[in-house]
Structure formats: C-alpha cells, structure tokens
Amino acid sequence: MMFFADRMLGKLAKKLRLLGFDTLYLSQIEEDEILKLCFETGRILITRNRELHMKALKQGIRSLLLKSDSWRQQLVELSKVLDLKNADRMTRCSLCNAELILANPEKVKQKVPLYVQQIRNEFYECPVCGRLYWEGTHVEHALEEFRRLNL
Ligand SMILES: [Zn+2]
C-alpha cells in the first residue's frame, strides 16, 4: 500500500512513514500532476479536498477523503478503511520517505549519545538526509501514540 498525501496532510504523511508506509508528500505540485502520479504508480490519494477527491475517483484512482484536521483523528479515519497494522514499522525516514539502512558504526559513535550506545544495539540511518534512528525517545513516543489510537 503506497500513499500520496495531499498538501494539508504533512503531519499525517510523517506518521504513515513511521508506521512503515511509502508515503509521498510534495507541497509544490499541481492537482493534475498529483492525479497523473497516483494513476501511474497506483498510490492511494489521501486528501481533505473534496473536489480533488471527486476528480480522482472519476479517473479510477483510489482516493480517501478525510474530514478531520488533526493527524490523530486522520489516522483513526484511515484505520477504519485500511489495515494500518500490516507494515514494517520504523523502516522509513519520517522526513524523506527513504528506506532506512543499517547505520555506519563510525557515525553512530560520533552522533549518538553515549548512554544510548550503551543500551541499544541497532541503529538505522536515512540514506538521503543522514538522520539516525533507534528504538527509544521519538520512536518509542510514536509507537506509544499508535498503541493509544489502537493502531
Ligand atoms: Zn531522511
């Protein structure tokens, strides 16, 4: 399942990536380009724009129209029609959507606080922006949020 998140859904896009879903989010893109991209790549369009939603449906694109403007409620709306439980969590960069790779140990030594290095063994890195990921802190926080939303 791959998504395209429309303009107003930047926060939701980040959360979907943390859940493990390939989610494109581009703030500077014309509606026609969005539709073309979704059509050609089979991405599901997620939008709060009814007009865009209707256009997408007419072109045979799978589109989901969200009502809420909070990302938590948006996730709940999505989870009612899609299975969000079935993805490999923490495999994508929340900023770039790139797939994470095992982090270079040298980089971990330089950038990760010592106490974290002592309690964690696995570190991942985004090949695009270089951000490091490990279990704990923001990752734990995100997982906790998902559990609370029953995702
Ligand atoms: Zn990144």
Side-chain angles (χ1 to χ4, degrees):
M1 216 158 37
M2 299 188 296
F3 299 107
F4 185 98
D6 188 23
R7 211 163 295 164
M8 291 172 281
L9 303 173
K11 273 200 182 150
L12 177 65
K14 282 187 187 169
K15 304 299 176 186
L16 284 170
R17 289 168 182 165
L18 285 175
L19 281 170
F21 293 104
D22 180 338
T23 307
L24 266 192
Y25 171 78
L26 304 165
S27 52
Q28 306 285 338
I29 183 170
E30 300 290 327
E31 285 193 355
D32 286 344
E33 287 178 68
I34 295 176
L35 295 173
K36 186 163 178 267
L37 197 149
C38 289
F39 185 78
E40 285 173 357
T41 59
R43 284 181 186 272
I44 300 171
L45 176 64
I46 316 169
T47 182
R48 293 193 58 219
N49 178 336
R50 177 172 293 276
E51 209 181 303
L52 181 63
H53 172 69
M54 294 313 289
K55 272 191 209 168
L57 293 184
K58 265 186 205 150
Q59 296 185 19
I61 294 162
R62 188 162 183 206
S63 174
L64 299 167
L65 182 65
L66 300 182
K67 294 192 188 92
S68 173
D69 56 10
S70 100
W71 67 263
R72 285 185 183 83
Q73 285 313 307
Q74 289 164 353
L75 274 180
V76 171
E77 283 183 56
L78 283 182
S79 70
K80 284 180 182 156
V81 285
L82 300 170
D83 179 10
L84 296 182
K85 292 189 171 152
N86 222 344
D88 290 329
R89 293 176 179 190
M90 304 304 158
T91 52
R92 283 181 184 277
C93 179
S94 65
L95 304 176
C96 313
N97 195 38
E99 276 187 79
L100 301 179
I101 55 174
L102 274 179
N104 178 328
E106 277 307 310
K107 198 170 170 187
V108 171
K109 266 188 212 159
Q110 289 167 14
K111 302 223 166 150
V112 178
L114 201 58
Y115 75 94
V116 178
Q117 293 183 42
Q118 286 164 350
I119 55 171
R120 303 287 172 201
N121 305 313
E122 289 190 337
F123 297 90
Y124 299 92
E125 178 177 355
C126 171
V128 177
C129 71
R131 188 177 186 197
L132 292 174
Y133 288 82
W134 61 87
E135 268 186 58
T137 59
H138 61 284
V139 172
E140 263 313 303
H141 183 68
L143 286 177
E144 186 53 43
E145 290 272 14
F146 296 146
R147 272 192 291 270
R148 218 174 293 148
L149 293 168
N150 201 20
L151 294 173

